[in-house]
Amino acid sequence: MSEAAGHSEPPGRTGLAIGIAAAILLCVFLVLGLTIWLAWHLLPHDEIPQPPPRGEGESFVEVPCWFSDGLLQGSDCAWLFPTLQDNDAQTALPVIRLLARSRKPSRRATVYLSGGPGGNSYLYSEGVDFWREWMQRLELNHDLLIYDQRGTGYALPALPCEPVDRVSRTLLDSGLDVDAQWAALEPAMLECAAQVHADDRRRGLYSTATAAQDLRELVQALRQHWGYDEIAIYGVSYGSRLAVEALAEPLPGVTGVVLDSYYPAGVDLTLAFPASFALQVEGFEANCRSMDDCSLGEESLRSLLAKALQSAAQKPPRILADDYFGGETLAVLIDPPTLMSIVEHALYADLGAAELPDRLREFSAGELGDAWRELSSDWLTAMFDPEFSLLAHLLIECRDTPPSSAELERATLAPHPDWAEALRSPSQSFALCERMGVPRNPLTQRSPNLPTLLIAAEFDPRTPADIALREARSFPQLSTLVLPIAGHSVVDFDDCAALAAGAFLNRGVLPAADQCGVSPVTGQTTASHALP
């Protein structure tokens, strides 16, 4: 027997050593596994999602998520294969559910419908962070479902429109009038439209009616595959039009709908804009004069805008603006149409009543400082937003909107000569839809017969509150919350509106008559039969 063998450890001590070593190795593997898990879930690693092969009869397929999510948060991903398919490529819509409680789905859910038409739902890591914050703002106590409507975001087939973006950039500083700019831009639009099969353009594959069918199929899939008992719908801007269209007929499991910045069907908001904007300017001025820091003085807001437009017509200034998405600085010639568009966007983005008079005076005086660069940059970035599908927007609006004409537009602009030229459409633009091969099939107003909360900003230039209230007055179970503020997509910038929407989505609770400090003059919460 060797010396080493004669001095071997007792069996008990050897087992203990092996156990300690095994425990250490187990801890190492656990730490390594946790590190890998954390790296996967906490570090950005987004991939471009691709739908799996579609099995026979499959319409909803769960897949691993393509984005990172938080350690204590849970999310699931899937693809919806809608019934109506594209002639040239498979149609598939990506779906995400964000759990209100980690790894434990709720029995109730809210489906969010993005605006546009053409806006996507930000189905990537940074976007998911935004939606988590959105849930917190509303104090949502249940799961949130988001998806990309067909033609937007990650939905397939994709509808890129790079030629329009490229040509538009060359026109920013061209000095051409609206007709000459249109002549340069229209060929690029027609080139983009040709990406969609001619039969699909004719049958309205990209329309609100089709998107509504997609939504109904999604709700059915969510109940069948993810087991939701109750579903609420939240539609913002165009998403509110989509919601109303989809809920015109009863949809099992849907218990209520929020319409934020309601975009009614059957209304051409471009034609309605001059008269509606005039009302908003008057109301905006009255709201400004009620504030201690309002700088209007003896002048009217309308006269300040008229002076600025006159200045832009006589000698349009040139300003450097930043495209935040594209990461470049571009020269922009601010002629009357561009000025009007920048002012509209500033109101849309919640420009305060006390600030607008000063900005208009600065423009008339040729003092385009930092504030104007910021306004112009915000507008420019929105113009070239890569998250927005211009082609989907054009196809849907062409299908849904009543036909118009230069003569009809002139009639709507006649009472507003001070901004008529700034709002005039290119004469050839009225034939665009026919040239794109999209027959018009205007939507008619529908009425969802379920609890409905309409939230609006009184000075919203995109979806005016007065038109929204008028068109929604026939809804059987309507309540409204109209805030005396400027802006669009109200819950994104108003905390009180966000909490009111959350209470409705969570428990069906309607806002109180004095919610958010709204007075009977500027807005109210009321049943539809009491609307003015």
Coordinates of all heavy atoms in Angstrom, one line a residue, residues 151-230:
G151 N -49.9 47.3 -43.4 CA -49.2 48.4 -44.1 C -48.3 49.3 -43.2 O -47.7 50.2 -43.7
T152 N -48.3 49.0 -41.9 CA -47.5 49.9 -41.0 C -46.5 49.1 -40.2 O -46.7 47.9 -40.1 CB -48.5 50.6 -40.0 OG1 -48.9 49.6 -39.0 CG2 -49.7 51.2 -40.7
G153 N -45.5 49.7 -39.8 CA -44.5 49.1 -38.9 C -43.9 47.8 -39.4 O -43.4 47.7 -40.5
Y154 N -44.0 46.8 -38.5 CA -43.5 45.5 -38.9 C -44.5 44.6 -39.6 O -44.2 43.5 -40.0 CB -43.0 44.7 -37.6 CG -41.8 45.3 -36.9 CD1 -41.8 45.3 -35.5 CD2 -40.7 45.8 -37.6 CE1 -40.6 45.8 -34.9 CE2 -39.6 46.3 -37.0 CZ -39.6 46.3 -35.6 OH -38.5 46.8 -35.0
A155 N -45.7 45.1 -39.9 CA -46.7 44.3 -40.6 C -46.2 44.0 -42.0 O -45.5 44.8 -42.6 CB -48.0 45.1 -40.7
L156 N -46.6 42.8 -42.5 CA -46.2 42.4 -43.8 C -47.4 42.2 -44.7 O -48.5 41.8 -44.2 CB -45.4 41.1 -43.7 CG -44.1 41.1 -43.0 CD1 -43.5 39.7 -42.9 CD2 -43.1 42.1 -43.7
P157 N -47.3 42.6 -46.0 CA -46.1 43.2 -46.6 C -45.9 44.6 -46.2 O -46.8 45.4 -45.9 CB -46.5 43.1 -48.1 CG -48.0 43.1 -48.1 CD -48.4 42.4 -46.9
A158 N -44.6 45.0 -46.2 CA -44.3 46.4 -45.9 C -44.6 47.3 -47.1 O -44.7 46.9 -48.2 CB -42.8 46.5 -45.6
L159 N -44.9 48.6 -46.7 CA -45.2 49.6 -47.8 C -44.3 50.8 -47.7 O -44.7 51.9 -47.3 CB -46.7 50.0 -47.6 CG -47.8 49.0 -47.8 CD1 -49.2 49.6 -47.6 CD2 -47.7 48.3 -49.1
P160 N -43.0 50.6 -48.1 CA -42.1 51.8 -48.0 C -42.4 52.8 -49.1 O -43.1 52.4 -50.1 CB -40.7 51.1 -48.3 CG -41.1 49.9 -49.1 CD -42.4 49.4 -48.6
C161 N -42.0 54.0 -48.9 CA -42.3 55.0 -49.9 C -41.1 56.0 -50.0 O -41.3 57.2 -49.8 CB -43.6 55.8 -49.6 SG -44.3 56.7 -51.0
E162 N -39.9 55.5 -50.2 CA -38.7 56.3 -50.2 C -38.7 57.4 -51.3 O -38.2 58.5 -51.0 CB -37.5 55.4 -50.3 CG -36.2 56.1 -50.1 CD -35.6 56.8 -51.3 OE1 -36.0 56.4 -52.4 OE2 -34.9 57.8 -51.2
P163 N -39.2 57.1 -52.5 CA -39.2 58.2 -53.5 C -39.9 59.5 -53.1 O -39.4 60.6 -53.4 CB -39.9 57.6 -54.7 CG -39.7 56.1 -54.5 CD -39.7 55.9 -53.0
V164 N -41.0 59.4 -52.4 CA -41.7 60.6 -51.9 C -40.8 61.4 -50.9 O -40.7 62.6 -50.9 CB -43.1 60.3 -51.3 CG1 -43.7 61.5 -50.6 CG2 -44.0 59.8 -52.4
D165 N -40.2 60.6 -50.0 CA -39.3 61.2 -49.0 C -38.2 61.9 -49.6 O -37.8 63.1 -49.3 CB -38.8 60.1 -48.0 CG -37.9 60.7 -46.9 OD1 -38.5 61.1 -45.9 OD2 -36.7 60.7 -47.1
R166 N -37.6 61.3 -50.6 CA -36.4 61.9 -51.3 C -36.8 63.2 -52.1 O -36.1 64.2 -52.0 CB -35.9 60.9 -52.3 CG -34.6 61.3 -53.0 CD -34.1 60.3 -54.0 NE -35.0 60.0 -55.1 CZ -35.7 58.9 -55.2 NH1 -35.6 57.9 -54.3 NH2 -36.5 58.7 -56.3
V167 N -37.9 63.1 -52.8 CA -38.3 64.3 -53.6 C -38.8 65.4 -52.6 O -38.5 66.6 -52.9 CB -39.5 64.0 -54.5 CG1 -40.0 65.2 -55.2 CG2 -39.0 63.0 -55.6
S168 N -39.4 65.1 -51.5 CA -39.9 66.1 -50.6 C -38.8 66.9 -50.0 O -38.9 68.1 -49.8 CB -40.7 65.4 -49.5 OG -41.9 64.8 -50.0
R169 N -37.7 66.3 -49.8 CA -36.5 67.0 -49.2 C -36.0 68.0 -50.2 O -35.5 69.1 -49.8 CB -35.4 66.0 -48.8 CG -35.8 65.2 -47.6 CD -34.8 64.1 -47.3 NE -35.2 63.2 -46.2 CZ -35.0 63.4 -44.9 NH1 -34.3 64.5 -44.6 NH2 -35.5 62.6 -44.0
T170 N -36.0 67.7 -51.5 CA -35.5 68.7 -52.5 C -36.5 69.9 -52.6 O -36.0 70.9 -53.1 CB -35.4 68.0 -53.8 OG1 -36.7 67.7 -54.4 CG2 -34.6 66.8 -53.7
L171 N -37.7 69.8 -52.2 CA -38.7 70.8 -52.3 C -38.7 71.8 -51.1 O -39.4 72.9 -51.2 CB -40.1 70.2 -52.5 CG -40.3 69.4 -53.8 CD1 -41.6 68.7 -53.8 CD2 -40.0 70.2 -55.1
L172 N -38.1 71.5 -50.0 CA -38.1 72.3 -48.8 C -37.6 73.7 -49.1 O -38.2 74.7 -48.5 CB -37.3 71.6 -47.7 CG -37.9 70.4 -47.1 CD1 -36.9 69.7 -46.2 CD2 -39.2 70.6 -46.3
D173 N -36.7 73.9 -49.9 CA -36.0 75.2 -50.1 C -36.1 75.6 -51.6 O -35.3 76.4 -52.1 CB -34.6 75.1 -49.7 CG -33.9 76.5 -49.6 OD1 -34.7 77.5 -49.3 OD2 -32.7 76.6 -49.8
S174 N -37.1 75.0 -52.3 CA -37.2 75.2 -53.7 C -37.8 76.6 -54.2 O -37.5 77.1 -55.2 CB -38.0 74.1 -54.4 OG -39.4 74.2 -54.0
G175 N -38.7 77.1 -53.4 CA -39.4 78.3 -53.7 C -40.5 78.1 -54.7 O -41.1 79.1 -55.2
L176 N -40.8 76.9 -55.1 CA -41.8 76.6 -56.1 C -43.2 76.8 -55.4 O -43.4 76.5 -54.2 CB -41.7 75.2 -56.6 CG -40.4 74.8 -57.3 CD1 -40.4 73.3 -57.7 CD2 -40.3 75.7 -58.6
D177 N -44.2 77.2 -56.2 CA -45.6 77.2 -55.6 C -46.1 75.8 -55.5 O -45.5 74.8 -55.9 CB -46.4 78.1 -56.5 CG -46.7 77.6 -57.9 OD1 -46.5 76.3 -58.1 OD2 -47.1 78.3 -58.8
V178 N -47.3 75.8 -54.9 CA -47.9 74.4 -54.5 C -48.1 73.6 -55.8 O -48.0 72.4 -55.7 CB -49.2 74.6 -53.7 CG1 -48.8 75.2 -52.3 CG2 -50.2 75.4 -54.4
D179 N -48.5 74.2 -56.9 CA -48.8 73.4 -58.1 C -47.5 72.8 -58.7 O -47.5 71.7 -59.1 CB -49.5 74.3 -59.1 CG -50.9 74.6 -58.7 OD1 -51.8 73.7 -58.4 OD2 -51.2 75.8 -58.5
A180 N -46.5 73.6 -58.7 CA -45.2 73.1 -59.2 C -44.6 72.1 -58.3 O -44.0 71.1 -58.8 CB -44.2 74.3 -59.4
Q181 N -44.8 72.2 -57.0 CA -44.3 71.2 -56.1 C -45.1 69.9 -56.3 O -44.5 68.8 -56.3 CB -44.4 71.7 -54.6 CG -43.5 72.8 -54.3 CD -43.4 73.0 -52.8 OE1 -43.5 72.1 -52.0 NE2 -43.2 74.3 -52.4
W182 N -46.4 70.0 -56.5 CA -47.2 68.8 -56.7 C -46.7 68.1 -58.0 O -46.6 66.9 -58.0 CB -48.6 69.2 -56.8 CG -49.5 67.9 -56.9 CD1 -50.0 67.4 -58.1 CD2 -49.9 67.1 -55.9 NE1 -50.7 66.2 -57.8 CE2 -50.6 66.0 -56.5 CE3 -49.7 67.1 -54.5 CZ2 -51.2 65.0 -55.7 CZ3 -50.3 66.0 -53.8 CH2 -51.0 65.0 -54.4
A183 N -46.4 68.9 -59.0 CA -46.0 68.3 -60.3 C -44.7 67.5 -60.1 O -44.5 66.4 -60.8 CB -45.8 69.4 -61.4
A184 N -43.9 67.9 -59.2 CA -42.6 67.2 -58.9 C -42.9 66.0 -58.0 O -42.2 65.0 -58.1 CB -41.6 68.1 -58.3
L185 N -43.9 66.1 -57.2 CA -44.1 65.0 -56.1 C -45.0 63.9 -56.6 O -44.8 62.7 -56.2 CB -44.7 65.7 -54.9 CG -44.6 64.9 -53.6 CD1 -43.2 64.6 -53.2 CD2 -45.3 65.8 -52.5
E186 N -46.0 64.2 -57.5 CA -47.0 63.2 -57.8 C -46.3 61.9 -58.5 O -46.7 60.8 -58.1 CB -48.0 63.7 -58.7 CG -49.2 62.7 -59.0 CD -50.2 63.3 -59.9 OE1 -50.1 63.1 -61.1 OE2 -51.2 63.9 -59.4
P187 N -45.4 62.0 -59.4 CA -44.8 60.8 -60.0 C -44.2 59.9 -58.9 O -44.3 58.7 -59.0 CB -43.7 61.4 -60.9 CG -44.2 62.7 -61.3 CD -44.8 63.3 -60.0
A188 N -43.6 60.5 -57.9 CA -43.1 59.6 -56.8 C -44.2 58.9 -56.0 O -44.1 57.7 -55.6 CB -42.3 60.5 -55.8
M189 N -45.3 59.6 -55.8 CA -46.5 58.9 -55.2 C -47.0 57.8 -56.0 O -47.3 56.7 -55.5 CB -47.6 60.0 -54.9 CG -47.2 61.0 -54.0 SD -48.6 62.2 -53.7 CE -47.9 63.4 -52.6
L190 N -47.1 58.0 -57.3 CA -47.6 56.9 -58.2 C -46.6 55.8 -58.3 O -47.0 54.6 -58.3 CB -47.9 57.5 -59.6 CG -48.9 58.6 -59.7 CD1 -49.0 59.1 -61.1 CD2 -50.3 58.1 -59.2
E191 N -45.4 56.1 -58.2 CA -44.3 55.0 -58.1 C -44.5 54.1 -56.9 O -44.4 52.9 -56.9 CB -42.9 55.6 -58.2 CG -41.8 54.6 -58.1 CD -40.4 55.2 -58.1 OE1 -40.3 56.5 -58.3 OE2 -39.5 54.5 -57.8
C192 N -44.8 54.8 -55.8 CA -45.0 54.0 -54.5 C -46.3 53.2 -54.6 O -46.3 52.0 -54.2 CB -45.1 55.0 -53.3 SG -43.5 55.8 -52.9
A193 N -47.3 53.8 -55.1 CA -48.6 53.1 -55.2 C -48.5 51.8 -56.0 O -49.2 50.8 -55.8 CB -49.7 54.0 -55.8
A194 N -47.6 51.8 -57.0 CA -47.5 50.6 -57.9 C -46.9 49.4 -57.2 O -47.0 48.3 -57.7 CB -46.6 51.0 -59.1
Q195 N -46.4 49.6 -56.0 CA -45.9 48.5 -55.2 C -47.1 47.5 -54.8 O -46.9 46.4 -54.5 CB -45.3 49.0 -53.9 CG -44.0 49.8 -54.1 CD -43.5 50.3 -52.8 OE1 -42.7 49.6 -52.1 NE2 -43.9 51.5 -52.4
V196 N -48.3 48.1 -54.7 CA -49.5 47.3 -54.3 C -50.2 46.8 -55.6 O -50.4 47.6 -56.5 CB -50.4 48.2 -53.5 CG1 -51.7 47.4 -53.1 CG2 -49.7 48.6 -52.2
H197 N -50.5 45.6 -55.6 CA -51.1 45.0 -56.8 C -52.4 45.8 -57.2 O -53.1 46.2 -56.3 CB -51.6 43.5 -56.4 CG -51.9 42.7 -57.6 ND1 -53.1 42.8 -58.3 CD2 -51.2 41.7 -58.2 CE1 -53.1 41.9 -59.3 NE2 -52.0 41.2 -59.3
A198 N -52.6 45.9 -58.5 CA -53.7 46.8 -58.9 C -55.0 46.2 -58.4 O -55.9 47.0 -58.1 CB -53.7 46.8 -60.5
D199 N -55.2 44.9 -58.4 CA -56.4 44.4 -57.9 C -56.7 44.7 -56.4 O -57.8 45.0 -56.0 CB -56.4 42.8 -58.0 CG -56.6 42.4 -59.5 OD1 -57.0 43.2 -60.3 OD2 -56.3 41.2 -59.7
D200 N -55.6 44.8 -55.6 CA -55.7 45.1 -54.2 C -56.1 46.6 -54.0 O -56.8 47.0 -53.1 CB -54.4 44.8 -53.5 CG -54.2 43.3 -53.3 OD1 -55.2 42.6 -53.4 OD2 -53.0 42.9 -53.2
R201 N -55.5 47.4 -54.9 CA -55.9 48.8 -54.9 C -57.4 49.0 -55.2 O -58.1 49.8 -54.6 CB -55.0 49.7 -55.8 CG -53.7 50.0 -55.2 CD -52.8 50.7 -56.2 NE -52.1 49.8 -57.1 CZ -51.8 50.1 -58.4 NH1 -52.2 51.2 -58.9 NH2 -51.1 49.3 -59.1
R202 N -57.8 48.3 -56.2 CA -59.2 48.4 -56.7 C -60.2 47.9 -55.6 O -61.3 48.5 -55.4 CB -59.5 47.6 -58.0 CG -59.0 48.4 -59.2 CD -59.5 47.7 -60.5 NE -58.9 46.4 -60.7 CZ -57.8 46.2 -61.4 NH1 -57.2 47.2 -61.9 NH2 -57.3 45.0 -61.5
R203 N -59.9 46.8 -54.9 CA -60.8 46.2 -54.0 C -60.7 46.8 -52.6 O -61.5 46.5 -51.7 CB -60.6 44.7 -53.9 CG -59.3 44.3 -53.3 CD -59.2 42.8 -53.2 NE -57.9 42.3 -52.7 CZ -57.8 41.3 -51.9 NH1 -58.8 40.7 -51.3 NH2 -56.5 40.9 -51.5
G204 N -59.8 47.8 -52.4 CA -59.7 48.4 -51.1 C -59.1 47.6 -50.0 O -59.6 47.6 -48.9
L205 N -58.0 46.8 -50.4 CA -57.4 46.0 -49.4 C -56.9 46.8 -48.3 O -56.8 46.4 -47.1 CB -56.3 45.2 -50.0 CG -55.6 44.2 -49.1 CD1 -56.5 43.1 -48.7 CD2 -54.3 43.6 -49.7
Y206 N -56.4 48.0 -48.6 CA -56.0 49.0 -47.6 C -57.0 50.0 -47.4 O -57.1 51.0 -48.2 CB -54.6 49.6 -48.0 CG -53.5 48.6 -48.0 CD1 -53.2 47.9 -49.2 CD2 -52.8 48.2 -46.8 CE1 -52.2 46.9 -49.2 CE2 -51.9 47.2 -46.9 CZ -51.6 46.6 -48.0 OH -50.6 45.6 -48.0
S207 N -57.9 49.8 -46.4 CA -59.0 50.7 -46.1 C -59.4 50.4 -44.7 O -59.0 49.4 -44.1 CB -60.2 50.3 -47.1 OG -60.7 49.0 -46.8
T208 N -60.3 51.3 -44.2 CA -60.7 51.1 -42.8 C -61.6 49.9 -42.7 O -61.6 49.2 -41.6 CB -61.5 52.4 -42.3 OG1 -60.6 53.5 -42.4 CG2 -61.9 52.3 -40.9
A209 N -62.4 49.6 -43.7 CA -63.3 48.5 -43.7 C -62.5 47.2 -43.5 O -62.8 46.3 -42.7 CB -64.1 48.4 -44.9
T210 N -61.3 47.1 -44.2 CA -60.5 45.9 -44.1 C -59.8 45.9 -42.7 O -59.7 44.8 -42.1 CB -59.4 45.9 -45.2 OG1 -60.0 45.9 -46.5 CG2 -58.5 44.7 -45.1
A211 N -59.3 47.0 -42.3 CA -58.6 47.1 -41.0 C -59.6 46.8 -39.9 O -59.2 46.2 -38.9 CB -58.1 48.5 -40.8
A212 N -60.9 47.1 -40.0 CA -61.9 46.8 -39.0 C -62.1 45.3 -39.0 O -62.3 44.7 -37.9 CB -63.2 47.5 -39.4
Q213 N -62.1 44.6 -40.1 CA -62.2 43.2 -40.1 C -61.0 42.5 -39.4 O -61.2 41.6 -38.7 CB -62.4 42.6 -41.5 CG -62.5 41.1 -41.6 CD -62.9 40.6 -43.0 OE1 -63.6 41.2 -43.7 NE2 -62.3 39.4 -43.3
D214 N -59.8 43.1 -39.7 CA -58.6 42.6 -39.1 C -58.8 42.7 -37.5 O -58.4 41.8 -36.8 CB -57.4 43.4 -39.5 CG -57.0 43.2 -41.0 OD1 -57.5 42.2 -41.6 OD2 -56.3 44.0 -41.5
L215 N -59.3 43.8 -37.1 CA -59.4 44.0 -35.6 C -60.4 43.1 -35.0 O -60.2 42.5 -33.9 CB -59.9 45.5 -35.4 CG -60.2 45.9 -33.9 CD1 -59.0 45.6 -33.0 CD2 -60.6 47.3 -33.8
R216 N -61.5 42.8 -35.7 CA -62.5 41.9 -35.2 C -61.9 40.5 -35.1 O -62.1 39.8 -34.1 CB -63.7 41.9 -36.1 CG -64.5 43.2 -36.0 CD -65.6 43.2 -37.1 NE -66.7 42.3 -36.7 CZ -67.7 42.5 -35.9 NH1 -67.8 43.7 -35.4 NH2 -68.6 41.6 -35.7
E217 N -61.1 40.1 -36.1 CA -60.5 38.8 -36.0 C -59.4 38.7 -34.9 O -59.2 37.7 -34.3 CB -59.8 38.5 -37.4 CG -60.8 38.3 -38.5 CD -60.2 38.0 -39.9 OE1 -59.0 37.8 -39.9 OE2 -60.9 38.0 -40.9
L218 N -58.7 39.9 -34.7 CA -57.7 39.9 -33.6 C -58.4 39.7 -32.2 O -57.9 38.9 -31.4 CB -57.0 41.2 -33.6 CG -56.0 41.5 -32.5 CD1 -54.9 40.4 -32.5 CD2 -55.4 42.9 -32.5
V219 N -59.5 40.4 -32.0 CA -60.2 40.3 -30.7 C -60.7 38.8 -30.5 O -60.5 38.3 -29.4 CB -61.4 41.3 -30.7 CG1 -62.3 40.9 -29.5 CG2 -61.0 42.7 -30.6
Q220 N -61.2 38.2 -31.6 CA -61.6 36.8 -31.4 C -60.4 35.9 -31.1 O -60.5 35.0 -30.3 CB -62.3 36.4 -32.7 CG -63.6 37.1 -33.0 CD -64.1 36.8 -34.4 OE1 -63.5 36.2 -35.2 NE2 -65.2 37.4 -34.8
A221 N -59.3 36.2 -31.7 CA -58.1 35.4 -31.5 C -57.6 35.6 -30.1 O -57.1 34.6 -29.4 CB -57.0 35.7 -32.5
L222 N -57.6 36.8 -29.6 CA -57.1 37.1 -28.2 C -58.0 36.4 -27.2 O -57.5 35.9 -26.2 CB -57.2 38.6 -27.9 CG -56.2 39.5 -28.8 CD1 -56.5 40.9 -28.5 CD2 -54.8 39.1 -28.5
R223 N -59.3 36.3 -27.4 CA -60.1 35.6 -26.5 C -59.9 34.1 -26.6 O -59.9 33.3 -25.6 CB -61.6 35.9 -26.8 CG -61.9 37.4 -26.6 CD -63.4 37.6 -26.8 NE -64.1 37.1 -25.6 CZ -65.4 36.5 -25.7 NH1 -66.0 36.5 -26.9 NH2 -65.9 36.1 -24.6
Q224 N -59.7 33.6 -27.8 CA -59.6 32.1 -28.0 C -58.2 31.6 -27.6 O -58.1 30.6 -26.9 CB -59.8 31.8 -29.5 CG -59.6 30.3 -29.8 CD -59.7 30.0 -31.3 OE1 -60.2 30.8 -32.0 NE2 -59.4 28.8 -31.7
H225 N -57.1 32.3 -27.9 CA -55.8 31.8 -27.7 C -55.2 32.3 -26.4 O -54.4 31.6 -25.8 CB -54.9 32.2 -28.8 CG -55.2 31.6 -30.1 ND1 -54.7 30.3 -30.5 CD2 -56.0 32.0 -31.2 CE1 -55.2 30.0 -31.7 NE2 -56.0 31.0 -32.1
W226 N -55.5 33.5 -26.0 CA -55.0 34.1 -24.7 C -56.0 34.2 -23.6 O -55.7 34.6 -22.5 CB -54.3 35.4 -25.0 CG -52.9 35.2 -25.6 CD1 -52.2 34.0 -25.6 CD2 -52.1 36.2 -26.2 NE1 -51.0 34.2 -26.2 CE2 -50.9 35.5 -26.6 CE3 -52.3 37.5 -26.5 CZ2 -49.9 36.2 -27.3 CZ3 -51.2 38.2 -27.2 CH2 -50.0 37.5 -27.6
G227 N -57.2 33.7 -23.9 CA -58.2 33.5 -22.8 C -58.8 34.7 -22.1 O -59.2 34.7 -21.0
Y228 N -58.9 35.9 -22.8 CA -59.4 37.1 -22.2 C -60.9 37.0 -22.1 O -61.6 36.7 -23.1 CB -59.0 38.3 -22.9 CG -57.5 38.6 -22.8 CD1 -56.6 38.5 -23.8 CD2 -57.0 39.0 -21.5 CE1 -55.3 38.8 -23.6 CE2 -55.7 39.3 -21.3 CZ -54.8 39.1 -22.4 OH -53.5 39.4 -22.2
D229 N -61.5 37.3 -21.0 CA -62.9 37.4 -20.8 C -63.5 38.7 -21.3 O -64.6 38.7 -21.9 CB -63.3 37.2 -19.3 CG -62.9 35.8 -18.8 OD1 -62.9 34.9 -19.6 OD2 -62.5 35.7 -17.6
E230 N -62.8 39.8 -21.0 CA -63.3 41.1 -21.4 C -62.2 41.9 -22.1 O -61.0 41.8 -21.7 CB -63.7 41.9 -20.1 CG -64.9 41.3 -19.4 CD -65.3 42.1 -18.2 OE1 -64.5 43.0 -17.7 OE2 -66.4 41.9 -17.7

